[in-house]
Amino acid sequence: MDFCRPLCWVEHMSLDNETGLDPSGIRVRPVSGLVAADYFAPGYFVWAVLIANLANIGYEEKNMYMAAYDWRLSFQNTEVRDQTLSRIKSNIELMVATNGGKKAVIIPHSMGVLYFLHFMKWVEAPAPMGGGGGPDWCAKHIKAVMNIGGPFLGVPKAVAGLFSAEAKDVAVARAITPGFLDHDLFPHQTLQHLMRMTRTWDSTMSMIPKGGDTIWGGLDWSPEECHSPSRKRQIANDTQIANENGSEVVVSQIKHVNYGRVISFGKDVVDAPSSEIERIDFRDAFKGQSVANSTCSEVWTEYHEMGYGGIKAVAEFKAYTAGLIIDLLHFVAPKMMARGDAHFSYGIAENLDNPEYQHYKYWSNPLETTLPTAPDMEIYSLYGVGLPTERAYVYKLTSAECGIPFQIDTSADDEDSCLKDGVYSVDGDETVPVLSAGFMCAKGWRGKTRFNPSGIRTYIREYDHSPPANLLEGRGTLSGNHVDIMGNFALIEDIIRVAAGATGEDLGGNQVYSDIFKWSEKINLQL
């Protein structure tokens, strides 16, 4: 298996479409140890810079553990197949016991943030569903959780990936060089191969936006409306957050944007008042005959089973908010979502004491679970800002008989509303919007709330993106990019100080450049 034989690679990286586990005769496993994620490729660091800096203050393999896991699997299935959650529990217990009882500092990145959120519920839940550690396990073993680039509430980018196997970069590449995706990498039908593979990865469904319209907005509103990520900067600390008159804010008001319409079919739909959009409900539409003919059988996707009727019904509904995205994905990918429904949930809990929320499918959704009872623990949201980040999409219907029937419409542009190449952008780290990375620490968990009953202290530390001044500066020294931030000097300093014993107050509390507190106030969530 190698990159010279991409279809072989796809076959080995795919999971079983029914079970979400190993296909027959294929076993792919994560590498263990610190080498599991120090470099993605020679010269391209991920954790290497941080590991080296931790080593400089005395950390080594006996008190530093890389919790590698198979990121393709649903979180609970990593325990079913590999006992990964049990291994993390044992390693943390061993490190705490052999280091004089000093509690662990946990540093998850990206999807690992959701994975560790799941772990904190799993480790205290009774066996056999949980790890049986008891209700005070986290309080005894964890000093701080320093989440880097955490997609706590999901990412719109995941919707585009599951819906059409593309995001902004793929859509632009296809527009600039038609045919590139069909010839340069795979012999034919590149995106169908990618869709077939990624739709077997149950973990991708953990990234679907959570909280529905309450968090992400409806047809006519969104928390971030009227702000351009490239035209505003705000410096705020705890004192200034409490007294907004003391903060320095420079904001350019721009055209109203309906970010709440995560998917719109046609630029005219994006701009139209909701009262003028004629929508035909797709949910009971007849899916009709297969659109696939004999030449399409090489690559199976669930779109082949929808028929022209089902495809047309999706486009005729015209506008989809975050709440409706769940129904849309159930309609276009029922087999995938049937597996996903067993492992993930995307709502907001009305009553967290309801016994149903003891099931593992809720544990990675911060709106349907509670933080552990650990009042001395700290939780950080560390993430980049100042980069355009995908938030909503303009789609079009395609006529390709064998292709994926929906594409991002790269002809849709509007400089005044952050619309470029069919993609609406907001402030973030190019992958996770500020709203997803920051809301829980800004409001959902801030103080004692029903999601944070013991009042764990939360801190937001934002890092304003600056590109390298020259080639010698290094990839991430001042970067806010989702991956390059792992080499950001300011982020590394914050982590090193906490790993050496500092608290959030020692760091100076919150460090905020975005409008996350203002946006959070617009979200009407029962706390």
Side-chain angles (χ1 to χ4, degrees):
M1 181 184 75
D2 58 50
F3 289 103
C4 295
R5 300 172 58 205
L7 293 182
C8 176
W9 181 81
V10 165
E11 180 185 0
H12 281 76
M13 288 301 291
S14 298
L15 295 167
D16 185 274
N17 203 38
E18 300 294 331
T19 66
L21 296 167
D22 290 331
S24 177
I26 294 176
R27 287 167 58 90
V28 176
R29 295 292 183 268
V31 176
S32 60
L34 295 177
V35 297
D38 54 353
Y39 290 92
F40 173 72
Y44 192 96
F45 69 80
V46 182
W47 289 93
V49 179
L50 184 56
I51 290 169
N53 279 274
L54 287 166
N56 286 338
I57 64 168
Y59 280 87
E60 53 184 310
E61 290 247 7
K62 72 176 183 181
N63 57 5
M64 182 165 49
Y65 165 63
M66 176 74 75
Y69 67 100
D70 191 334
W71 44 261
R72 301 171 302 161
L73 300 176
S74 73
F75 302 154
Q76 193 71 3
N77 271 347
T78 65
E79 176 67 14
V80 171
R81 196 193 72 181
D82 300 333
Q83 294 75 53
T84 305
L85 298 170
S86 291
R87 294 172 194 269
I88 295 173
K89 175 176 181 281
S90 298
N91 274 284
I92 292 175
E93 289 171 346
L94 179 63
M95 285 192 296
V96 171
T98 56
N99 285 277
K102 293 179 181 177
K103 297 178 188 177
V105 175
I106 314 298
I107 313 167
H109 173 247
S110 196
M111 186 189 290
V113 168
L114 300 180
Y115 188 65
F116 196 76
L117 197 62
H118 179 100
F119 171 84
M120 286 194 292
K121 293 299 287 190
W122 173 89
V123 73
E124 295 191 344
M129 188 179 292
D136 58 353
W137 191 94
C138 291
K140 286 180 177 178
H141 294 91
I142 301 175
K143 173 188 187 291
V145 185
M146 306 194 76
N147 302 290
I148 305 174
F152 287 105
L153 301 176
V155 288
K157 202 171 186 174
V159 174
L162 292 170
F163 186 54
S164 61
E166 62 181 345
K168 182 178 181 178
D169 295 342
V170 172
V172 171
R174 181 166 51 195
I176 294 173
T177 55
F180 163 78
L181 290 169
D182 289 327
H183 299 293
D184 284 14
L185 182 59
F186 292 127
H188 299 288
Q189 302 172 330
T190 303
L191 293 183
Q192 289 95 305
H193 284 289
L194 292 176
M195 175 174 281
R196 181 185 66 177
M197 176 178 68
T198 56
R199 283 191 178 181
T200 69
W201 297 348
D202 289 353
S203 62
T204 58
M205 286 175 277
S206 73
M207 308 289 277
I208 294 171
K210 302 174 178 70
D213 298 5
T214 300
I215 298 293
W216 297 92
L219 289 176
D220 293 314
W221 81 279
S222 61
E224 313 104 317
E225 61 193 359
C226 298
H227 293 279
S228 166
S230 61
R231 300 186 190 178
K232 63 174 179 51
R233 277 292 166 264
Q234 172 181 341
I235 307 294
N237 59 29
D238 279 337
T239 304
Q240 290 166 329
I241 290 162
N243 178 12
E244 288 188 3
N245 293 330
S247 62
E248 300 175 8
V249 183
V250 179
V251 176
S252 296
Q253 293 294 319
I254 60 170
K255 181 178 177 181
H256 173 86
V257 181
N258 295 317
Y259 288 123
R261 304 177 191 183
V262 179
I263 287 179
S264 301
F265 276 89
K267 179 69 165 60
D268 55 327
V269 173
V270 170
D271 297 328
S274 59
S275 58
E276 296 178 10
I277 301 175
E278 294 183 15
R279 302 158 86 196
I280 301 171
D281 201 332
F282 66 94
R283 282 165 282 205
D284 295 321
F286 175 66
K287 291 190 175 182
Q289 299 300 311
S290 170
V291 299
N293 60 32
S294 59
T295 65
C296 300
S297 59
E298 179 188 343
V299 185
W300 175 89
T301 71
E302 291 188 70
Y303 281 127
H304 292 170
E305 300 177 5
M306 283 182 59
Y308 295 112
I311 290 167
K312 188 164 175 276
V314 168
E316 287 182 342
F317 194 69
K318 296 182 178 175
Y320 295 84
T321 62
L324 289 163
I325 288 295
I326 309 302
D327 289 340
L328 172 64
L329 292 174
H330 272 102
F331 186 76
V332 302
K335 292 184 175 68
M336 177 190 78
M337 292 300 286
R339 292 195 322 273
D341 285 346
H343 290 274
F344 301 106
S345 182
Y346 313 101
I348 299 173
E350 290 187 13
N351 176 14
L352 285 161
D353 294 326
N354 190 319
E356 75 172 298
Y357 292 111
Q358 295 173 14
H359 191 277
Y360 58 76
K361 67 185 269 186
Y362 301 104
W363 291 348
S364 62
N365 181 357
L367 301 173
E368 293 183 301
T369 193
T370 57
L371 291 177
T373 303
D376 295 330
M377 194 169 95
E378 295 182 329
I379 291 184
Y380 296 77
S381 280
L382 317 173
Y383 56 90
V385 297
L387 287 166
T389 304
E390 296 174 39
R391 176 65 165 83
Y393 302 89
V394 182
Y395 269 87
K396 64 180 180 181
L397 202 55
T398 71
S399 57
E401 186 170 305
C402 298
I404 296 166
F406 309 112
Q407 286 182 7
I408 294 172
D409 185 356
T410 54
S411 69
D413 282 294
D414 187 346
E415 268 190 33
D416 292 333
S417 62
C418 305
L419 173 64
K420 183 173 174 56
D421 299 320
V423 180
Y424 278 103
S425 297
V426 290
D427 200 1
D429 68 3
E430 272 189 322
T431 296
V432 183
V434 164
L435 192 66
S436 180
F439 173 78
M440 291 310 296
C441 281
K443 184 174 182 178
W445 289 330
R446 194 168 176 81
K448 278 193 177 184
T449 72
R450 66 193 185 103
F451 304 106
N452 181 15
S454 67
I456 293 171
R457 291 181 300 282
T458 63
Y459 299 98
I460 292 177
R461 303 286 292 176
E462 294 183 345
Y463 307 92
D464 196 12
H465 175 76
S466 292
N470 55 63
L471 291 174
L472 299 176
E473 186 178 290
R475 202 178 88 229
T477 56
L478 295 170
S479 179
N481 174 274
H482 186 66
V483 176
D484 288 358
I485 198 172
M486 301 293 281
N488 184 299
F489 286 171
L491 175 135
I492 289 172
E493 181 182 349
D494 284 347
I495 292 174
I496 293 298
R497 290 181 65 188
V498 173
T503 66
E505 292 302 314
D506 295 329
L507 299 186
N510 294 295
Q511 172 180 277
V512 178
Y513 297 93
S514 73
D515 284 326
I516 182 59
F517 285 96
K518 183 184 295 183
W519 294 338
S520 296
E521 284 308 306
K522 294 183 182 180
I523 294 172
N524 184 21
L525 180 68
Q526 177 195 344
L527 297 177

